[in-house]
Amino acid sequence: MAAMLTRDELAGALVQAGQGDRSAFRIVYEATSAKLLGVCLRILPDRQTAEDVLQDTYLTVWRKAESFDPSRASPITWLVTIARNRSIDRLRSAAPMRRAVPVEDAHDLADDAALASETIEQADEVGRLNTCLEQLEDKARGVIRTAFLEGVTYDALAQRENVPLGTMKSWIRRGLMRLRSCLET
């Protein structure tokens, strides 16, 4: 099992990976691959697809590590965002081929591994994030949590809330702007 890294150690390894340091990249992979696989598994229908997306995620991390800025985001947040976005992209690209399953069946499909949300909550920024989330209005807080922690698409959220897609995007955008402002203070 990989040793747990502090936020600063992980950020340092990401910065070094951005400079082409393969051993630093290995450290990032060993410290975060289980967490990121959990994120992929929460969004994607099967383990093989999740593992493929995890590989794509780390290819993206290798190519874009130089753009990581530790003053703008925690390293785990940056990595989870990449994994989440890649997973949703894969899910959308495969959408015509998969059959719809009622949301009630999701419990039966759950992986035994720790939930991605539980893993993320262990990060050192969760306290601040939760404080800032609590300052948002209930509807914005709910849709942001659902979109970013559960991987539900904006379109699916709009259908759930019975609002136009543009309205849902506006709610999330305004909520994220308020959240960002809170986190920057």
Side-chain angles (χ1 to χ4, degrees):
M1 180 171 185
M4 294 297 294
L5 297 179
T6 66
R7 174 188 172 160
D8 291 338
E9 290 170 336
L10 184 55
L14 263 174
V15 169
Q16 289 175 327
Q19 297 166 351
D21 185 336
R22 290 176 185 260
S23 62
F25 183 73
R26 176 182 287 276
I27 291 169
V28 170
Y29 176 82
E30 289 175 353
T32 62
S33 60
K35 292 176 186 178
L36 298 187
L37 180 60
V39 170
C40 296
L41 285 169
R42 293 278 295 155
I43 298 169
L44 296 164
D46 65 85
R47 187 171 188 91
Q48 181 61 50
T49 304
E51 289 173 355
D52 289 347
V53 169
L54 183 66
Q55 182 177 357
D56 291 344
T57 298
Y58 280 104
L59 287 171
T60 300
V61 169
W62 176 251
R63 285 192 304 266
K64 297 191 176 200
E66 66 186 21
S67 70
F68 171 69
D69 181 358
S71 67
R72 291 187 51 178
S74 77
I76 196 66
T77 300
W78 189 77
L79 292 163
V80 165
T81 300
I82 293 171
R84 178 190 169 277
N85 290 343
R86 290 281 178 220
S87 296
I88 290 173
D89 289 347
R90 179 68 62 93
L91 196 60
R92 286 179 181 155
S93 71
M97 292 182 270
R98 19 175 224 121
R99 65 177 184 90
V101 176
V103 71
E104 296 80 23
D105 292 348
H107 179 70
D108 297 333
L109 301 174
D111 183 44
D112 291 336
L115 296 175
S117 59
E118 291 172 359
T119 304
I120 294 168
E121 287 177 0
Q122 294 173 0
D124 58 350
E125 284 196 340
V126 144
R128 275 186 61 215
L129 179 60
N130 284 334
T131 299
C132 290
L133 277 169
E134 289 302 318
Q135 293 176 12
L136 297 177
E137 57 222 28
D138 290 342
K139 191 161 293 264
R141 179 176 52 247
V143 295
I144 287 172
R145 283 184 191 259
T146 303
F148 290 93
L149 296 179
E150 296 176 25
V152 176
T153 64
Y154 291 5
D155 189 44
L157 281 170
Q159 290 175 9
R160 280 188 193 176
E161 295 292 327
N162 198 25
V163 297
L165 178 59
T167 300
M168 180 57 61
K169 288 180 178 179
S170 294
W171 287 355
I172 292 173
R173 185 175 150 274
R174 284 192 301 265
L176 290 174
M177 288 170 53
R178 286 191 295 267
L179 190 58
R180 180 179 179 187
S181 175
C182 176
L183 289 170
E184 288 177 348
T185 58

